[in-house]
Every structure is written in structure tokens, then in C-alpha cells.
Amino acid sequence: MNTFRNKLAIVTGGNSGIGYATAKELIAHGAKVIITGRRKEAVEKAAEELGAIPFVADQGKLEDIEFLKTKVENQYGKVDILFINAGITGSLGLIENMTAENFDQVMNINFRGAYFTLSKFTPLLNDGASVVFLSSNVATTYKPNSSVYQASKAALNSIAKTAAAELAPRKIRVNMVSPGPTKTEIMSKAGLDEATLEGLNDWLINSIPLKKMGTAEDVAKAVVYLSDNNMASFMTGTEILIDGGMVL
């Protein structure tokens, strides 16, 4: 399992959920992995468990992205795999009730932060590197109460495809993974109580043709596949849906 031997990978938001699972999978395939997160204790704990390198950085703050880029450049040089994963759902609600604070927070992390993470790290990417964005199947759905989150992911897909075109001359591939409902703690972070979460999970499962929730490991395997220059060498600007057929 030395697919990524001597490769350096960065996973933003790598201390939990899909980021954690992906860091684990990359390490299992031989990569040296840097994980980032906003909470020092959580990042350091996850890094110790995984055998990863911790960096405290908030993807929603440009100064943190710049600091991370400088540190990585000085300590490690070039980057081979960049998984831009960090994101939040924010508060759910109708457009007429949406607050500017929630809009700004979601867009700052999910879109602006992701955009400038790619922007700042592009000079550090080796020719032939892989970039993967964590998007969502909601980027192409238009459900009530989720306008800001959906818009943030749609914007993310747009820049991922533009980046794929821009970076193709350097053989850098840029792709997206778009999970559907996945068993992670992100919905709990959205402020939903246990009873509401249980009801939501039941409703979601009933709307999925395969009648089950996805796992963080399902997504991690897709990221690893896209990052492999042997397995996915002719894939760029591609979106892999991992949603059990939910958008059918």
C-alpha cells in the first residue's frame, strides 16, 4: 500500500469526519499527511491518532491560509495532493429569514476560503499533482431552507472546473467529490438536537434509493482514487457523486 510513497498531502478540516477518514486512507497508502483545523486540541489529538502532521488554521481566514502556505513551503516544499475539505452547513432557513452573518460565515469557509486555499497553494503544487474539492450533491439541487449551503457548493464546483482548465498545462488534475447524506458530526454542529437528527436521518434514508446513509470512508476512498495518477490519470474537472442514487 505504497501508492503515495514520498508524496505530501494536505487535508483541510482533517481532524474529524470526511477529512479524518481521508487522511487515514492517504496515510495507509504511504503519504505524508498534513491535517488542518480551527481547534488546536482537536487537530493535535487527531494527528496523534492518525500519524499525521497538525496545523491549526481556519479556512475562513485569509491570514491563516497565507500562514499555512508559508509554513508548508518553508518546512516541506512542494505538495502532491491537496484535499480542500473544510466546510460547514451553517444555519438552515428560508431565504426571507436568512441572516447576513450566516451567509458570510458559510461563504467565507465553503467558497472564499476554498478558493484562496487553492490560489495560495497553486505555486506549491508539483506538476502532476492532484487537487480534490469536497463538494456536495446539493450543488445541483434546490431544496428549501438550504439556499446558502447549496449556493456555496455550486460556486465551488464552478471554480474547480475553471481550475482544472487553468492547471491542465501543468498536468495538475482538479476534481470534485460530492457526497449525499453521510454519517458525520456536521449536522450536530448545525445545532440540531438528537430527536430532530433522528427524524432527519430517517427522512433522508427514505429518500435514498439504496436506503442507507453514506460513510466518511466511502468518500475517502473516492478522494484517494482521484489522487492516484495511475488510476485516475485522465480525470480532471470531474465530479463523483457519492449519494446512493439520491439525485436520480
Side-chain angles (χ1 to χ4, degrees):
M1 296 284 280
N2 284 319
T3 310
F4 302 127
R5 187 182 178 196
N6 298 323
K7 302 287 188 184
L8 178 66
I10 298 176
V11 178
T12 69
N15 58 279
S16 64
I18 290 168
Y20 184 99
T22 302
K24 185 176 183 179
E25 193 76 12
L26 287 167
I27 289 167
H29 283 75
K32 177 184 290 186
V33 177
I34 295 168
I35 63 169
T36 75
R38 292 181 288 174
R39 294 175 293 125
K40 185 174 186 292
E41 285 185 13
V43 175
E44 291 181 348
K45 181 176 182 291
E48 186 176 356
E49 293 169 355
L50 290 165
I53 302 159
F55 272 87
V56 179
D58 183 345
Q59 189 170 279
K61 296 179 178 178
L62 295 187
E63 59 270 26
D64 281 19
I65 297 170
E66 185 67 57
F67 178 75
L68 174 66
K69 179 253 184 184
T70 301
K71 284 288 188 181
V72 170
E73 184 175 23
N74 291 341
Q75 294 184 32
Y76 302 101
K78 294 291 188 175
V79 175
D80 301 288
I81 298 166
L82 178 60
F83 180 34
I84 303 176
N85 161 76
I88 60 171
T89 57
S91 300
L92 304 178
L94 295 171
I95 293 171
E96 66 179 297
N97 299 324
M98 189 53 58
T99 66
E101 290 77 14
N102 182 67
F103 183 96
D104 289 345
Q105 186 180 29
V106 172
M107 286 297 183
N108 278 344
I109 295 174
N110 293 6
F111 178 51
R112 186 171 180 260
Y115 183 100
F116 282 103
T117 296
L118 175 62
S119 173
K120 298 298 183 183
F121 274 91
T122 293
L124 299 192
L125 294 174
N126 271 317
D127 290 354
S130 168
V131 178
V132 182
F133 284 93
L134 182 71
S135 186
S136 170
N137 69 340
V138 305
T140 51
T141 64
Y142 309 98
K143 304 296 184 185
N145 296 305
S146 188
S147 60
V148 179
Y149 181 63
Q150 289 171 161
S152 74
K153 293 301 186 178
L156 198 65
N157 285 5
S158 175
I159 63 161
K161 291 181 180 183
T162 302
E166 288 186 0
L167 296 175
R170 292 178 55 197
K171 309 302 180 190
I172 295 171
R173 298 176 301 103
V174 184
N175 293 291
M176 298 146 278
V177 289
S178 292
T182 306
K183 292 177 184 174
T184 69
E185 54 272 43
I186 192 166
M187 293 309 290
S188 299
K189 291 177 181 177
L192 302 180
D193 60 50
E194 200 65 38
T196 303
L197 275 174
E198 189 174 333
L200 179 59
N201 286 344
D202 289 343
W203 176 81
L204 287 169
I205 288 169
N206 284 329
S207 69
I208 300 170
L210 290 182
K211 301 301 180 193
K212 66 175 185 176
M213 297 274 279
T215 68
E217 289 71 25
D218 292 329
V219 184
K221 288 171 185 174
V223 176
V224 168
Y225 174 79
L226 288 172
S227 300
D228 189 333
N229 282 333
N230 292 316
M231 299 292 288
S233 63
F234 204 47
M235 295 177 71
T236 195
T238 297
E239 179 186 9
I240 296 182
L241 278 168
I242 310 169
D243 70 350
M246 192 176 182
V247 299
L248 291 175

